[in-house]
Amino acid sequence: MAQRAVWLISHEPGTPLCGTVRFSRRYPTVEKRARVFNGASYVPVPEDGPFLKALLFELRLLDDDKDFIESRDSCSRINKTSIYGLLIGGEELWPVVAFLKNDMIYACVPLVEQTLSPRPPLISVSGVSQGFEFLFGIQDFLYSGQKNDSELNTKLSQLPDLLLQACPFGTLLDANLQNSLDNTNFASVTQPQKQPAWKTGTYKGKPQVSISITEKVKSMQYDKQGIADTWQVVGTVTCKCDLEGIMPNVTISLSLPTNGSPLQDILVHPCVTSLDSAILTSSSIDAMDDSAFSGPYKFPFTPPLESFNLCFYTSQVPVPPILGFYQMKEEEVQLRITINLKLHESVKNNFEFCEAHIPFYNRGPITHLEYKTSFGQLEVFREKSLLIWIIGQKFPKSMEISLSGTVTFGAKSHEKQPFDPICTGETAYLKLHFRILDYTLTGCYADQHSVQVFASGKPKISAHRKLISSDYYIWNSKAPAPVTYGSLLL
């Protein structure tokens, strides 16, 4: 007997979503067992947003839900058990135990240790009765002696740690959460919390939470047979939490779209209080497969006063955002260059800026240039022996652009001209510089509606993301030998 996930949802008629997820917890180890037991009939536990919408629809709690819908409202669907099947993404999630009490919806998904097709009788699913016991235990804990919203928020903030004892790995050990509360020695609601030594003060002002996801993409492209191009994405999630109280608790969820690339090698800030094992064990060393954990990635934490890096991650995206070809060939006293760039169709074609820097090391100043470009503008820095191809904010509809031309140099002056021990002869590169706002290559995003804050006041929550190039090189395909990242560190 085990539970795959549990939710507490406040019913809020008149609001856009008609409800808010106040607490949720998933158990990845149980989810893996469900995938094995259910086989082809397995339906994954959805993210909080789709689950909230589907559950409120099934419970007839949406404000605009006044029409008769046969699949839900017909006489054959009269429900007397508080056990539902939720239609999410064209698949039915069953069984879902859910009931409404004191404007709070309690819901969980029990593990079914057999195939779901055909649907087994409820009496054979032992996790259902355990699910009711689990939810009734949470209800008793939240509302026993509870007098106001402040006390309710305090108890909600205690749930993550309580469930580590009462329901570890999705298996209920003790439905009386008050016992777990006594065992963990939580400070009484009537007693003031002590200021931790690492927190030098408290915040006073309007509550707000700011989340920023920055992904940097690195690439080395050679366009040579037998030599593989390489690329990598490194992400950083930065947070700034202005919240009143000594020890406010926040939970942020990172989500991926259906075709998103799973996050790996995740490192978290010391303020993170707990993590699912699937997050910690996802490594880029392991071969990628369909069973790789793809979120949501939940990070419960007690934030410091200053801005901090909540976590770092890497990801193995299938293709680099811009594919390039660069050819430089010496012809007597001049160089002939040819450059082709192609933006991948899956990448957002809306840059804050995009430039290609084409340096010519160990040569004299540029004295003459003839070129032809299909798109953008070319700037010439003669003394620096540098060309900058300004592509702008968008690629054309074809997603492909080209630049070709010949460059002539004057006599070398060692005092002024750039020197590089690697880029000699025909060994040369161009380097791309770009930034795309409101976009990440993995698809990773922080859903503002899924952010849970256990503190006084309702905070303003903002989330931003961006993709930035970093060490994005395209090497001359005529170069005698490839250059690696290690070579650039010499």
Side-chain angles (χ1 to χ4, degrees):
M1 296 186 293
Q3 305 300 315
R4 296 167 60 185
V6 59
W7 291 266
L8 299 183
I9 300 169
S10 60
H11 180 219
E12 301 170 354
T15 61
L17 297 178
C18 295
T20 301
V21 176
R22 301 294 301 274
F23 174 82
S24 67
R25 168 65 60 85
R26 289 165 177 78
Y27 296 97
T29 54
V30 183
E31 194 68 14
K32 289 183 179 180
R33 292 164 59 192
R35 186 182 292 112
V36 174
F37 282 125
N38 301 159
S41 60
Y42 166 75
V43 177
V45 171
E47 298 179 20
D48 290 348
F51 181 85
L52 170 66
K53 184 176 181 181
L55 182 61
L56 293 178
F57 172 80
E58 187 66 26
L59 296 178
R60 303 172 180 84
L61 295 177
L62 296 173
D63 290 342
D64 57 354
D65 193 8
K66 303 184 185 303
D67 297 331
F68 174 83
I69 300 175
E70 184 174 356
S71 62
R72 182 196 63 187
D73 302 325
S74 66
C75 293
S76 61
R77 287 292 305 276
I78 295 176
N79 195 307
K80 298 181 180 180
T81 62
S82 296
I83 299 172
Y84 304 90
L86 304 186
L87 190 62
I88 302 174
E91 297 179 303
E92 187 180 42
L93 179 67
W94 182 92
V96 177
V97 178
F99 59 85
L100 175 65
K101 188 74 172 179
N102 297 327
D103 291 326
M104 184 75 77
I105 303 171
Y106 301 81
C108 66
V109 181
L111 172 67
V112 180
E113 298 180 347
Q114 56 185 300
T115 181
L116 299 175
S117 181
R119 181 177 292 182
L122 281 177
I123 197 171
S124 67
V125 184
S126 57
V128 169
S129 58
Q130 186 197 66
F132 276 110
E133 184 182 8
F134 185 26
L135 296 179
F136 285 137
I138 295 176
Q139 177 193 341
D140 291 342
F141 169 72
L142 291 182
Y143 288 97
S144 61
Q146 184 259 329
K147 299 178 181 178
N148 52 48
D149 289 342
S150 177
E151 291 184 12
L152 177 61
N153 290 335
T154 300
K155 290 190 174 184
L156 285 171
S157 69
Q158 295 171 346
L159 274 180
D161 292 311
L162 285 179
L163 294 189
L164 290 177
Q165 290 197 22
C167 191
F169 301 103
T171 301
L172 184 63
L173 300 182
D174 188 357
N176 189 341
L177 299 189
Q178 189 62 42
N179 291 340
S180 299
L181 179 65
D182 296 337
N183 292 336
T184 50
N185 295 320
F186 274 105
S188 171
V189 175
T190 60
Q191 295 177 348
Q193 287 180 304
K194 292 184 178 180
Q195 182 85 5
W198 56 265
K199 197 168 186 178
T200 57
T202 57
Y203 173 80
K204 295 292 183 181
K206 293 183 178 179
Q208 54 187 357
V209 176
S210 177
I211 309 164
S212 176
I213 303 175
T214 301
E215 287 188 353
K216 294 184 178 182
V217 56
K218 302 180 179 182
S219 182
M220 297 282 270
Q221 300 179 34
Y222 308 103
D223 196 48
K224 281 180 174 289
Q225 289 187 351
I227 302 175
D229 296 342
T230 60
W231 59 90
Q232 183 187 40
V233 172
V234 178
T236 304
V237 181
T238 304
C239 295
K240 180 70 167 70
C241 301
D242 296 327
L243 301 170
E244 293 188 347
I246 295 176
M247 293 286 283
N249 290 302
V250 181
T251 298
I252 290 177
S253 297
L254 302 182
S255 302
L256 298 173
T258 304
N259 59 344
S261 300
L263 310 185
Q264 300 171 319
D265 306 325
I266 297 175
L267 299 175
V268 299
H269 191 275
C271 72
V272 175
T273 55
S274 64
L275 277 179
D276 288 333
S277 59
I279 295 178
L280 292 174
T281 56
S282 180
S283 171
S284 58
I285 299 176
D286 302 328
M288 290 287 291
D289 55 41
D290 294 336
S291 65
F293 183 65
S294 56
Y297 305 84
K298 287 182 173 290
F299 301 91
F301 60 94
T302 300
L305 292 175
E306 69 277 3
S307 177
F308 67 100
N309 294 324
L310 176 64
C311 70
F312 302 91
Y313 62 85
T314 66
S315 184
Q316 301 178 39
V317 294
V319 292
I322 298 178
L323 293 170
F325 167 80
Y326 178 34
Q327 187 177 92
M328 185 189 78
K329 186 177 181 180
E330 292 196 67
E331 295 181 353
E332 298 179 353
V333 296
Q334 63 184 14
L335 296 178
R336 180 174 298 277
I337 61 172
T338 302
I339 301 171
N340 297 319
L341 299 177
K342 181 178 181 180
L343 179 67
H344 194 268
E345 58 186 8
S346 65
V347 178
K348 180 180 179 181
N349 188 14
N350 190 2
F351 295 80
E352 185 179 14
F353 65 87
C354 183
E355 300 176 350
H357 290 209
I358 312 160
F360 301 98
Y361 291 104
N362 310 316
R363 301 179 187 275
I366 297 175
T367 58
H368 184 70
L369 172 67
E370 294 182 3
Y371 70 93
K372 179 180 179 182
T373 178
S374 66
F375 194 79
Q377 299 177 338
L378 191 67
E379 291 189 356
V380 184
F381 296 84
R382 298 183 181 276
E383 294 300 322
K384 295 183 179 180
S385 303
L386 173 67
L387 302 179
I388 297 182
W389 185 10
I390 302 176
I391 299 167
Q393 297 180 327
K394 283 183 178 289
F395 274 62
K397 290 184 178 180
S398 65
M399 301 294 187
E400 298 184 30
I401 57 177
S402 62
L403 168 67
S404 60
T406 57
V407 188
T408 305
F409 302 90
K412 289 193 293 184
S413 172
H414 294 291
E415 295 179 358
K416 296 183 179 180
Q417 305 314 130
F419 170 78
D420 189 289
I422 296 175
C423 296
T424 59
E426 293 186 340
T427 301
Y429 65 84
L430 69 85
K431 186 177 182 181
L432 287 177
H433 299 260
F434 58 82
R435 180 184 296 147
I436 307 177
L437 301 181
D438 194 27
Y439 176 80
T440 52
L441 203 57
T442 61
C444 180
Y445 65 95
D447 184 1
Q448 299 179 38
H449 300 293
S450 68
V451 176
Q452 301 175 17
V453 178
F454 305 104
S456 60
K458 187 174 183 180
K460 176 184 178 182
I461 299 173
S462 61
H464 310 278
R465 56 181 184 162
K466 59 187 174 183
L467 175 68
I468 302 175
S469 63
S470 173
D471 298 333
Y472 204 103
Y473 294 96
I474 300 172
W475 290 89
N476 178 22
S477 61
K478 290 287 186 180
V483 179
T484 64
Y485 281 121
S487 302
L488 296 176
L489 298 177
L490 295 176

